[in-house]
Amino acid sequence: MSSRTSSPATRVDELRASLNAALIAYHAEDDPIMSDEDYDRLYDELVAIEEEHPELVIGDSPTQRVGSAPSERFRKVEHLVAMGSLDKVTSEETLVKFAEDVRKRLGTDEPIAYLAEPKIDGLAVSLLYEQGRYVRGATRGDGQRGEDVTPNLRTIKAIPLAMKSGDGTSQPALVEIRGEVFMPLSGFVAFTERQAAEGKRAAPNPRNAAAGSVRQLDPAITAGRPLSIWTYGVGQAKGVEFESQWEILQWLRAHGFRTNPFAERLESIEEVARAAVEWETRRAELDYEIDGIVIKVDSLDQQRRLGALHGRPRWARAYKWAPITAQTKLRKIHIRVGRTGALNPWAELEPVQVGGVTVSNATLHNEADINRKDLRAGDTVIVQRAGDVIPQVVGPVLPHARGSRRFRMPACCPLCGTEIVKPEGEVMHRCPNRACPSRGLETLIHWVQAAMDIEGVGEQFVRRLWDHGLLRSMPDLYRLTPEQLSELEGYGEISSRKAIESIAESKAQPFSRVLFGLNIPKTGWVLARNLARRFGSVDALLEASQEDLEAVEGIGPDRAELIAEWFADDENRKLVEELRSLGLQMAAGEAERPVDGPLTGNQYVITGTLEAWSRDEAKASLEALGAKISESVSKKTTGVVVGESPGSKLAKAQKLGVPVLSEDDLRALIG
Ligand code: IVH
């Protein structure tokens, strides 16, 4: 190609063809055919020729992506085929109902295949091409009529201005391409930072950012935004025919449009259900937000026979999830001193909807974590919540709030004023004062909620009684009178009596729960239960030596020392005696007593999926014979039972030389 030998008209044609092909290869095919430098060089050459020969400038020239003058308002345009909307399903059950409805309406036993693809959280658009040239772009609007955003969409390089010729045949006379314009997450972060730097309000999420960007009256603004598109359908088409949704996707791809690589054609609704589950976990890996998957009956003939109701096709559904990130203001960083003295920072947030629930606070772990993210009071932050996971503050949206400072833990305990310590090698700051009021309060909250699980008596109850000076320790709880309670606002005779009754009932809770509630250092629920089983009573524990304790699974020398110290302390001994005299369980009950059987003293670990038993069944059978089941493999492990697709525990067993048992071995063992 040489600019000197060909006429300007031929040369612009050549340049346009090369540049358009390069854009399609780069955006739609992820397979660049030209370096950035070469692209820029050819582009500059084209600009130069067009400046000299304005008569050669046409609408689908790559130079014409930006350049239309801002408009006053958007013209309305009629879609040739309406842009419908989708009914939702939100569970496997409703998904199956949909499939049953499809099956019923189609009547026969004919096979029904489905197409499943990500539901992009962006802005639906319709692109009109005549003879392969982009002539009009519109938003969805009300489905019948949208807004004419032709110049704005032209600025998106992932939208071809001239379609690729596919198999080399001529282009269809007319075709409406349907797709979703979106802002990639990486682009959204950069865009948000830029907006903030310029003192402009940032969009709350990528979808709003994309929609706002497309609906700019000045296309030059749209051009500066990081937008892209996934196309997924065809509206009106003249000169081309399709038989299936899958075929449409292939055709779009062949003509230079971006189609989502994760679209799948599936043979049954069960496979669709599996894909939906898989997608919810894979969602976080994508560089764009999806709010579900779209499921379509693949055959267009079946689609036509199913039809639509009020613009919502009977052949498609959106399987939707709740959004998982949101932005809000971090009002303040608070410190809560836990029952172990650890300083737990938490964020007070301006309430915001994330993943279908309102979030108004989130834990912040520790000082190092806060500073790694550089979170500051007053900042706008991104909050994330996935599945059952507790909300997390992911990071600030920069710049920081004006006049803000890096976070520092207080030097003194906010409750008792004692100087805070941070033991060497630990991440948590601690209030070393064992009499710190907050420790007492948190221990009580732990007692009523986690340990004794007292019905109707929770954190609020404890806090109020604490504030009224009615409650300082666990024994106080069992000495409360209805008269004392009725002094409190909101406690009538009935509610007072109820609370006192359920407190009294908690005396019957098993010994292991009492141990858990005592707030013995480093003693969580599992260890408390093991201690109860191994020692059988509080008296045995009061006499246990450090060596005795070390013999228990999960207790190393450090822990044994802390636990022995706790039981040797006079105040703690007094507490135990007081609780005993009030009638709490100080010896292991039937369920906690170690079973004596042929496998007593043996410890097993179960890993992988078993065929004939669930893990709980296998566990219960072994325990009934006196064995113990543990979660991790150690030298103390007697054997590792290995099922289908075992994890790292098998490798660990092999490394330590611990015997490996098959499911057959297990059967032989249990008999
Ligand atoms: S197909 C009859 N496929 O979801 C409508 N839509 O409520 C057929 N969307 O307005 C739409 N990703 O904005 C389809 N892969 C996809 C989609 C998708 C996102 C949006 C689109 C539409 C809305 C349907």
Side-chain angles (χ1 to χ4, degrees), residues 84-86 117-120 124 140 180 232 294 296 313:
S85 57
L86 297 174
E117 58 190 340
K119 183 169 190 306
I120 315 300
R140 177 178 178 278
E180 195 89 352
Y232 47 70
V294 178
K296 301 169 190 169

Side-chain angles (χ1 to χ4, degrees), residues 25-199:
Y26 180 82
H27 289 283
E29 293 163 354
D30 262 339
D31 188 16
I33 52 170
M34 199 183 282
S35 70
D36 290 2
E37 293 76 34
D38 285 347
Y39 182 90
D40 289 344
R41 199 168 42 75
L42 298 186
Y43 186 90
D44 291 344
E45 188 189 336
L46 179 59
V47 172
I49 303 178
E50 285 181 346
E51 270 173 8
E52 221 171 292
H53 302 275
E55 75 282 3
L56 296 177
V57 178
I58 51 160
D60 67 357
S61 172
T63 60
Q64 299 307 298
R65 287 194 178 265
V66 212
S68 308
S71 50
E72 300 275 299
R73 61 186 189 88
F74 299 112
R75 216 165 44 87
K76 291 268 185 220
V77 290
E78 195 94 13
H79 299 301
L80 304 180
V81 167
M83 295 179 76
S85 57
L86 297 174
D87 277 333
K88 269 193 297 189
V89 295
T90 48
S91 65
E92 186 169 342
E93 207 187 326
T94 43
L95 176 68
V96 169
K97 269 221 186 88
F98 157 66
E100 283 167 2
D101 180 65
V102 167
R103 160 73 58 213
K104 212 172 65 205
R105 287 177 188 278
L106 291 176
T108 59
D109 283 341
E110 62 191 281
I112 302 167
Y114 293 93
L115 191 98
E117 58 190 340
K119 183 169 190 306
I120 315 300
D121 206 3
L123 175 76
V125 297
S126 182
L127 311 169
L128 186 64
Y129 287 80
E130 286 172 5
Q131 307 296 349
R133 293 180 190 284
Y134 170 73
V135 294
R136 194 178 82 186
T139 62
R140 177 178 178 278
D142 63 6
Q144 304 293 331
R145 283 149 55 90
E147 285 172 325
D148 186 338
V149 286
T150 309
N152 305 45
L153 294 180
R154 187 183 283 129
T155 67
I156 301 175
K157 295 204 187 67
I159 296 178
L161 298 182
M163 273 164 36
K164 204 172 155 173
S165 68
D167 54 8
T169 55
S170 62
Q171 300 292 5
L174 175 152
V175 60
E176 277 182 314
I177 311 284
R178 302 282 156 83
E180 195 89 352
V181 170
F182 66 96
M183 190 176 282
L185 291 175
S186 47
F188 175 65
V189 170
F191 167 61
T192 315
E193 281 175 12
R194 212 171 64 212
Q195 289 287 95
E198 290 167 11

Side-chain angles (χ1 to χ4, degrees), residues 383-402:
V383 182
Q384 185 178 51
R385 191 183 155 273
D388 295 336
V389 181
I390 4 174
Q392 278 193 327
V393 180
V394 182
V397 176
L398 298 173
H400 294 292
R402 207 172 299 152

